[in-house]
Amino acid sequence: MKTIIDLFETSVKKYGKNTFLWEKKTTEFEPVTYEETKKRVYRFAAGLMSLGVQAGDKVALLSEGRNDWVTGELGILYTGAVNVPISVKLEEKNDLIFRLKHSETKYIITSGTQLRKIRLIIRELPLVQGVIVLDTIEAYDGNEIPVENILAEGDRFLETNYDDLIARSRAVKGDDMANISYTSGTTADPKGIMLSHRNYTANVEQCMSLVKVKQEDSNLIIIPLDHCFGHVVGFYTFMAYGANVATVQTGKTPIESLKNIPLNIKEFQPTLIMSVPALAKSFRKNIESTIQKKGKRAEKFFQKALKVAYEYNKEGYNRGGIAMIHKRIMLAIYDKLLFAKVRGAMGGKMKFFIGGGALLDIELQRFFYAIGIPMFQGYGLSEATPVISSNTPRKHKLGSSGVLVKNLELKILDPEGNELPVGEKGEIVIKGENVMLGYWKNPEATAETVRDGWLYTGDMGYMDKDGFLYVLGRFKSLLISSDGEKYSPEGIEEGICDGTKYLEQMMLHNNQDPYTVALVVPDKAQLKCYVERIRPGLDWDTMEAKELALKKIQEIINRYRSGGVYAGEYPERWLPAAIAVLPEPFTEQNHLLNSSLKMVRGKIEEKYKDRLEYLYTSEGKNMVNDKNIFALK
């Protein structure tokens, strides 16, 4: 399979009557077969050709997940054009304008809810010749075209020019560009990652070497489709197996769409789901909140069941054993009485999650493993289309990023470019057919990232003796002490936040400073509950209440220090010696998280520069200071 078109045509021939796509527009999910999908793809592609779309043209796709996203991308690719997938999370005019101008987009396909963004900037996009609207709206502006008109034009085109469409699609080669996928915008000028047809089909084949999907398996795609993770793992790999996929019902607002996720999971009952740490944490929080509402007895029972599961499961690959027979019996009882009900609330058919997007804390992995829906962490990046490794049901170690996909070379290099032996950490460098073509109109960045076919990921990690990859974080996010020692902070940040309900986010900082400091985002509601519990009737607005809350945050950190219950979990020198409590969370809206929900450290450090400097003063080192008290208002 050299092209995505080859992949799709092969699947239609093999699985034509199987359901491929599911979508809920009104009251229930409705199925569309592979053959029906092909008919719409042909109509759409023919409509684009009648509109004037040429091979090599750039067509942007800005829409929430839906059937038309998949058929829209395939339609673009059948014409020989290039899809420029745009994140629906982008709200700033400049973010959209840069991508659409830089990519030289000529046509835009957009949903009705996203159309407002295009209307605000269309006058600044002289190259754009047409805007195709996927939803029926009251009135269309000058160059806006209803998708039904495109399909109708496609029908007329196919009556007399069917062979032209077939010829155009067959002319597409494996090394032709399929997507320009923009990085998450952590800088003013995000890079456009050029991904070829063969990049995608090669990565699908690589994924198939790790995870086996049955035709009856189903995936509810809850992550954005603009990212290649959503492409490859979301629907192209499922397509290759003849399986089926659904998208989350689009709400009138982003919040409404988020609320639809748990409802759709219960309705659709998927067997697999892709997730990122932020969503996994949300699932866990919902589960724990439901248990808490049932009272202290239920919560205690749940915690006891988790403890037994953790002890029995260990890191997955070493679970059980002869000495654990009694715990196996106990776990079976807990599973029947408790965990099975939790799984039922998540549809009841889910086998496992595939986790990606960022480092996933091992404690979070243990939690989902315990309830019987393991979250198998993988590793990849867009420049690798994206999958490089993953844990699987057959082979996994919790805490690792799994084993490598087949037909991929990997080496770990030191700063001088020397290859390191097993167990030693350095930069992860890979080579394979999934490595991007390069960055669009950015030869300098391409030459820096891809050298002699090897992709320099910028990530630090190591391979263990059993062939499992451990990813430790980004080189650029390293903490650097005053004596030059370096440490990746993600594990500490995730671990501490996941281990308490009082902290939502944390960013550690040390740039050759005397000690490490932290910016933390507290869960104010939980802190208020804590103060009320230990001092009933105490007004939250009093100084005393704020001091109790701040001391609680300090106590959480102290648990990991010498003498604390979690002492030794992390090197003490990298634990924060001073803490700044922040008044607002890191979000995509304030540009402190990117679209993959990763912290944009440079921007956070820039925004809170004064707070960071304050932490290196004697007053700032004191947890109970005026700035922290003010942040809790």
Side-chain angles (χ1 to χ4, degrees):
M1 296 181 293
K2 291 297 181 184
T3 69
I4 294 169
I5 296 164
D6 295 334
L7 168 61
F8 180 56
E9 291 283 346
T10 300
S11 291
V12 173
K13 284 177 185 173
K14 289 171 70 176
Y15 312 112
K17 303 297 183 186
N18 287 12
T19 295
F20 176 34
L21 303 173
W22 295 87
E23 186 173 4
K24 183 184 178 185
K25 292 183 177 178
T26 52
T27 58
E28 59 185 26
F29 281 93
E30 297 178 359
V32 178
T33 67
Y34 279 81
E35 287 178 348
E36 290 167 338
T37 304
K38 178 179 174 178
K39 287 176 184 175
R40 188 169 178 96
V41 168
Y42 275 39
R43 293 176 69 202
F44 194 81
L48 291 178
M49 287 178 67
S50 68
L51 187 63
V53 173
Q54 300 295 317
D57 280 351
K58 314 304 182 298
V59 182
L61 182 45
L62 174 64
S63 172
E64 302 78 11
R66 58 202 291 166
N67 288 359
D68 276 342
W69 207 108
V70 180
T71 55
E73 165 148 294
L74 289 169
I76 293 167
L77 299 180
Y78 265 74
T79 69
V82 179
N83 181 19
V84 183
I86 304 289
S87 170
V88 295
K89 296 178 182 179
L90 294 177
E91 291 292 343
E92 293 293 323
K93 287 170 59 176
N94 290 342
D95 289 339
L96 282 168
I97 290 169
F98 175 83
R99 287 162 172 77
L100 295 169
K101 276 190 170 181
H102 184 260
S103 62
E104 302 171 5
T105 286
K106 286 190 179 179
Y107 300 91
I108 300 171
I109 302 168
T110 182
S111 66
T113 53
Q114 298 297 315
L115 178 61
R116 62 176 177 81
K117 298 178 183 177
I118 301 302
R119 284 179 169 177
L120 286 172
I121 62 175
I122 193 65
R123 290 179 182 175
E124 300 179 59
L125 302 170
L127 280 181
V128 173
Q129 298 173 22
V131 178
I132 300 165
V133 186
L134 296 175
D135 298 294
T136 303
I137 57 175
E138 288 184 8
Y140 295 85
D141 287 351
N143 64 349
E144 294 170 2
I145 312 161
V147 71
E148 292 305 322
N149 289 16
I150 296 294
L151 294 170
E153 286 295 327
D155 290 336
R156 285 188 282 273
F157 184 94
L158 289 171
E159 286 176 9
T160 55
N161 300 288
Y162 179 87
D163 290 343
D164 290 347
L165 171 63
I166 299 304
R168 181 83 73 85
S169 65
R170 287 180 179 170
V172 176
K173 306 300 180 189
D175 56 1
D176 287 343
M177 226 194 311
N179 281 178
I180 299 177
S181 180
Y182 281 88
T183 53
S184 301
T186 57
T187 62
D189 293 331
K191 296 189 284 288
I193 299 165
M194 297 186 288
L195 299 176
S196 71
H197 281 258
R198 183 55 187 155
N199 285 156
Y200 274 111
T201 58
N203 203 227
V204 167
E205 292 164 11
Q206 290 169 327
C207 289
M208 293 171 79
S209 74
L210 291 185
V211 178
K212 304 303 177 189
V213 174
K214 296 179 180 178
Q215 290 181 44
E216 59 268 26
D217 277 328
S218 56
N219 176 24
L220 177 65
I221 304 174
I222 61 178
I223 64 171
L225 284 180
D226 61 278
H227 195 279
C228 55
F229 182 43
H231 284 61
V232 171
V233 184
F235 56 89
Y236 283 140
T237 298
F238 275 71
M239 178 195 291
Y241 278 114
N244 59 98
V245 301
T247 46
V248 172
Q249 184 179 15
T250 303
K252 293 177 182 176
T253 64
I255 295 296
E256 191 176 309
S257 295
L258 277 174
K259 288 181 178 177
N260 284 337
I261 291 176
L263 298 174
N264 288 173
I265 288 174
K266 199 163 187 179
E267 292 169 319
F268 184 64
Q269 298 181 322
T271 59
L272 303 171
I273 275 185
M274 299 176 300
S275 188
V276 294
L279 282 169
K281 289 175 190 174
S282 177
F283 290 146
R284 178 177 181 169
K285 192 173 270 189
N286 289 341
I287 292 167
E288 290 178 331
S289 177
T290 302
I291 298 289
Q292 284 173 3
K293 287 174 184 175
K294 293 182 179 180
K296 288 190 175 181
R297 189 175 177 182
E299 191 175 1
K300 192 174 180 180
F301 184 67
F302 185 65
Q303 292 301 326
K304 193 174 180 181
L306 281 180
K307 186 174 184 292
V308 171
Y310 285 15
E311 289 171 353
Y312 180 79
N313 291 330
K314 300 174 206 171
E315 285 73 49
Y317 75 100
N318 55 353
R319 71 196 297 258
I322 296 173
M324 288 281 180
I325 290 176
H326 65 296
K327 280 194 167 56
R328 181 178 180 179
I329 295 168
M330 290 171 65
L331 185 56
I333 295 168
Y334 283 130
D335 192 78
K336 189 172 183 179
L337 295 176
L338 182 59
F339 295 143
K341 294 176 182 176
V342 174
R343 293 196 295 274
M346 298 186 76
K349 294 182 180 178
M350 206 182 307
K351 298 174 182 177
F352 57 89
F353 293 91
I354 292 290
L359 292 176
L360 187 63
D361 181 69
I362 189 170
E363 208 282 327
L364 198 60
Q365 294 177 55
R366 286 191 175 117
F367 177 85
F368 284 103
Y369 204 96
I371 66 173
I373 313 175
M375 178 165 281
F376 293 124
Q377 170 78 353
Y379 166 65
L381 65 165
S382 299
E383 289 85 346
T385 327
V387 182
I388 291 171
S389 68
S390 185
N391 285 281
T392 71
R394 289 179 295 128
K395 196 169 185 180
H396 53 268
K397 276 189 184 183
L398 304 188
S400 80
S401 289
V403 294
L404 302 182
V405 297
K406 288 188 177 174
N407 299 318
L408 181 86
E409 296 178 71
L410 180 145
K411 52 188 180 183
I412 307 294
L413 301 182
D414 67 14
E416 285 72 46
N418 302 309
E419 189 166 356
L420 295 168
V422 167
E424 289 196 28
K425 62 184 180 182
E427 183 174 7
I428 299 167
V429 180
I430 64 137
K431 189 176 189 179
E433 288 188 279
N434 56 318
V435 171
M436 67 172 181
L437 296 174
Y439 295 115
W440 173 248
K441 297 194 296 191
N442 196 338
E444 296 83 7
T446 300
E448 185 181 331
T449 307
V450 182
R451 302 172 221 162
D452 297 323
W454 289 91
L455 173 65
Y456 287 70
T457 68
D459 288 322
M460 182 169 64
Y462 67 92
M463 295 292 296
D464 76 3
K465 60 182 175 58
D466 298 319
F468 283 82
L469 175 65
Y470 285 78
V471 182
L472 305 173
R474 297 290 294 171
F475 275 105
K476 291 179 181 177
S477 66
L478 291 178
L479 303 174
I480 307 174
S481 66
S482 55
D483 61 4
E485 188 176 339
K486 300 177 178 68
Y487 192 85
S488 186
E490 284 99 332
I492 299 178
E493 294 162 346
E494 295 283 339
I496 292 178
C497 288
D498 287 342
T500 177
K501 59 186 175 183
Y502 298 110
L503 299 181
E504 291 187 344
Q505 294 167 312
M506 172 187 289
M507 192 196 85
L508 296 176
H509 171 85
N510 191 335
N511 188 16
Q512 300 181 34
D513 296 307
Y515 48 84
T516 301
V517 299
L519 302 174
V520 303
V521 176
D523 188 323
K524 291 182 186 176
Q526 290 289 357
L527 285 172
K528 285 180 183 179
C529 290
Y530 166 75
V531 170
E532 174 64 28
R533 189 167 67 252
I534 64 167
R535 288 294 302 276
L538 182 63
D539 189 341
W540 174 252
D541 291 327
T542 63
M543 182 69 74
E544 190 178 354
K546 299 292 194 301
E547 286 185 10
L548 287 170
L550 290 172
K551 287 177 180 176
K552 182 62 179 176
I553 294 172
Q554 185 65 66
E555 177 198 316
I556 290 162
I557 302 301
N558 289 345
R559 292 176 188 172
Y560 295 87
R561 297 192 181 284
S562 180
V565 290
Y566 302 125
E569 189 92 4
Y570 308 112
E572 193 151 338
R573 72 175 303 178
W574 302 115
L575 293 172
I579 299 166
V581 177
L582 303 183
E584 63 171 350
F586 309 139
T587 66
E588 291 176 87
Q589 288 67 40
N590 60 22
H591 304 292
L592 302 182
L593 291 184
N594 63 26
S595 63
S596 300
L597 303 180
K598 299 175 186 173
M599 289 187 291
V600 186
R601 292 178 183 270
K603 290 185 179 179
I604 293 171
E605 288 169 345
E606 182 182 335
K607 178 168 183 174
Y608 293 109
K609 183 182 177 184
D610 292 345
R611 293 297 301 275
L612 288 168
E613 290 175 354
Y614 181 67
L615 291 174
Y616 292 100
T617 67
S618 56
E619 185 184 343
K621 201 170 181 182
N622 180 6
M623 185 70 190
V624 182
N625 61 60
D626 291 344
K627 295 182 188 293
N628 282 348
I629 289 169
F630 183 79
L632 288 176
K633 284 191 175 180

